[in-house]
Amino acid sequence: MTKLSRRNILKGGAAFAAGTTLGAPMIWAQNIKDVTLRQFGTGVSNLNDVANKVKEDLGFTLEMTALDSDSVTQRAATQPNSFDIADIEYWICKKVWPTGNLQAMDTSKIKNYDKIVGIFRDGKLTPDSTIAQGTAPHTVGFVEGPDGKGFVDNESGWMTLIPTIYNADTLGIRPDLIGRPINNWSELLNPEFKGKASILDISSIGIMDMAMVVESMGEYTYPDKGNMTREEIDLTMKIFTEAKQNGQFRAFWKSFDESVNLMASGEVVIQSMWSPAITAVKAKGVPCVYQPLEEGYRSWGGGIGLSAALTGLERDAAYEYINWYLDGWVGGYLMRQGYYSAVPETSKNYMSENEWGYWFEGKAATDTITSPTGDALAQAGDVRDGGSFQDRMGAVACWNAVMDENQYMVRKWNEFIAA
């Protein structure tokens, strides 16, 4: 029998990381097409194009389910046998890891581990960076070993999530309907936009946007926006409940599509937003800006976690998928939506010089910039909102977080929505 190399069998698929152990390569080739991995997460990164590309490049099936952030948290924490891969945000990891439903991942099996940006490894974009408030990804990114229960503050070789996607979030605006510069978070509560403002109805994220607004208004400075006391939660909610009762908000959105529709229709002119939602509004031919603000950005990061129940061939396939994910194709796809890849340098191989310059380096476009689906997003001469990767991720004021007083915060949030 001819000895087949793994690389030949995978026909140029992502190379195996050191440390992956499998049975005979022949068995892998025959069985891999029978593997189905069940992945769930938010609509941000559970994309059909990614599942199709996995099938094409790696040979197995990736079944994706997109849920809102609260449903993602609940499923990961309470239904461990319903998934193989959890595509979740780092603040969610803080809630899910203690349940024991995820397994620690061996970084020696991750081919591009040493190219992962510092944000996810030691918390710093550059050696001089200040670590932002909230649940910074590196604080919940590592455990002490394969059976580690508690998070550790060093690169231990065992990760809770392998980072994939992240961004610096701010307010989306309709410049054509506002007609003047917007430079501060406090504008969300400006009576000028009464009945035309919106905030997202996901408590853990929404309260961070609120905190950015409260500080911008000069009402209060939080020692840590990501871990408020009950008194700080009460103060924050009081300010926003008054604004709500005065008719400031048109709506509270939970899904990506809702935020797009509110903005594209002009019902809302200023709101909490996510980068691809801005992309989607622009793709409809409607002016929309992801506005850089003086107080900085609220940031988030996501990664891939593996179910504690995942073993054998399926687990090997999952590691193969993670290595493929960080190899550049997905990164390029995500970067063309305005997100960032955990390993930017591999994404560059799947982007044109014009795209890389526009999305990552903050350079003026030299030609039309299109979305992954081909819609025109920017023209020659346009510069990305907020500029370069360094400018945007270097101005992060806080990360999405889970507070010690989380249950109290959620109760108060629900009272705010019902008020």
Side-chain angles (χ1 to χ4, degrees):
M1 175 181 152
T2 312
K3 190 173 180 189
L4 292 172
S5 75
R6 229 181 254 147
R7 186 175 286 277
N8 290 340
I9 286 169
L10 286 173
K11 290 183 180 160
F16 267 76
T20 304
T21 53
L22 295 170
M26 201 70 181
I27 294 171
W28 169 267
Q30 288 163 354
N31 294 351
I32 191 68
K33 65 181 184 298
D34 300 326
V35 168
T36 296
L37 294 178
R38 301 161 299 159
Q39 173 175 313
F40 77 99
T42 65
V44 160
S45 51
N46 283 268
L47 306 158
N48 290 332
D49 284 357
V50 172
N52 294 339
K53 189 71 173 158
V54 165
K55 187 75 176 172
E56 182 186 318
D57 286 2
L58 302 181
F60 58 84
T61 301
L62 192 63
E63 282 180 358
M64 289 186 170
T65 305
L67 304 166
D68 65 62
S69 297
D70 289 337
S71 302
V72 165
T73 309
Q74 190 176 3
R75 184 162 175 179
T78 62
Q79 299 173 48
N81 297 320
S82 72
F83 67 90
D84 302 306
I85 295 171
D87 179 2
I88 62 177
E89 291 176 53
Y90 277 85
W91 64 270
I92 294 174
C93 186
K94 196 171 181 181
K95 292 185 178 183
V96 174
W97 190 262
T99 66
N101 291 348
L102 298 178
Q103 59 178 283
M105 284 176 283
D106 181 356
T107 62
S108 72
K109 293 183 181 182
I110 307 304
K111 190 178 68 174
N112 283 312
Y113 176 78
D114 61 338
K115 294 177 183 165
I116 291 172
V117 290
I119 289 166
F120 296 101
R121 294 171 61 181
D122 63 8
K124 295 191 168 192
L125 186 62
T126 68
D128 303 324
S129 298
T130 303
I131 296 172
Q133 294 180 354
T135 305
H138 74 291
T139 63
V140 293
F142 295 92
V143 288
E144 63 267 23
D147 302 313
K149 299 289 184 283
F151 304 119
V152 295
D153 62 356
N154 60 80
E155 292 183 61
S156 63
W158 295 92
M159 290 190 100
T160 56
L161 302 176
I162 302 298
T164 53
I165 182 175
Y166 54 106
N167 210 354
D169 281 356
T170 179
L171 298 175
I173 66 164
R174 282 284 303 271
D176 56 322
L177 300 180
I178 289 176
R180 66 172 180 80
I182 297 289
N183 296 312
N184 302 94
W185 279 88
S186 58
E187 295 277 18
L188 188 67
L189 293 192
N190 190 327
E192 182 184 335
F193 308 125
K194 183 177 175 178
K196 295 202 164 185
S198 177
I199 195 167
L200 79 170
D201 183 12
I202 299 168
S203 59
S204 297
I205 306 173
I207 196 162
M208 302 298 275
D209 281 357
M210 287 180 168
M212 294 296 285
V213 172
V214 169
E215 285 196 339
S216 175
M217 291 168 73
E219 293 285 341
Y220 182 72
T221 301
Y222 303 84
D224 183 355
K225 289 182 277 294
N227 200 15
M228 298 182 194
T229 63
R230 290 190 174 205
E231 292 74 19
E232 288 168 341
I233 293 165
D234 290 345
L235 168 77
T236 309
M237 292 302 175
K238 180 172 180 284
I239 289 168
F240 270 76
T241 302
E242 283 175 7
K244 182 179 185 229
Q245 289 170 337
N246 289 335
Q248 185 69 11
F249 300 107
R250 169 71 183 82
F252 303 93
W253 61 265
K254 259 192 186 295
S255 77
F256 175 94
D257 290 339
E258 285 176 293
S259 71
V260 172
N261 295 336
L262 286 168
M263 208 58 150
S265 67
E267 288 177 63
V268 162
V269 300
I270 184 168
Q271 67 171 358
S272 305
M273 246 174 141
W274 297 337
S275 184
I278 300 277
T279 303
V281 174
K282 284 183 174 178
K284 294 174 185 285
V286 176
C288 193
V289 172
Y290 213 26
Q291 187 59 46
L293 300 169
E294 287 173 6
E295 299 85 7
Y297 296 88
R298 173 188 55 74
S299 201
W300 58 274
I304 289 172
L306 301 185
S307 165
L310 195 64
T311 58
L313 184 66
E314 282 77 16
R315 180 166 62 185
D316 290 326
Y319 269 105
E320 181 65 6
Y321 165 59
I322 290 167
N323 280 316
W324 171 85
Y325 202 114
L326 297 181
D327 220 30
W329 184 88
V330 186
Y333 188 100
L334 296 174
M335 297 256 272
R336 281 192 290 277
Q337 288 185 291
Y339 295 124
Y340 295 118
S341 160
V343 186
E345 67 181 89
T346 59
S347 311
K348 191 176 183 180
N349 301 329
Y350 292 85
M351 301 173 80
S352 69
E353 196 175 331
N354 181 37
E355 288 172 331
W356 178 259
Y358 177 84
W359 290 115
F360 194 80
E361 297 178 322
K363 291 179 178 173
T366 55
D367 195 1
T368 304
I369 293 287
T370 58
S371 72
T373 50
D375 297 306
L377 302 179
Q379 301 301 328
D382 291 349
V383 176
R384 178 180 185 169
D385 305 333
S388 72
F389 171 76
Q390 294 286 349
D391 288 343
R392 297 176 87 255
M393 291 309 300
V396 170
C398 61
W399 289 91
N400 287 354
V402 175
M403 306 183 182
D404 295 340
E405 291 288 357
N406 181 64
Q407 285 178 299
Y408 181 80
M409 185 277 290
V410 172
R411 193 170 89 230
K412 290 297 176 182
W413 180 271
N414 292 335
E415 287 173 11
F416 159 70
I417 293 295

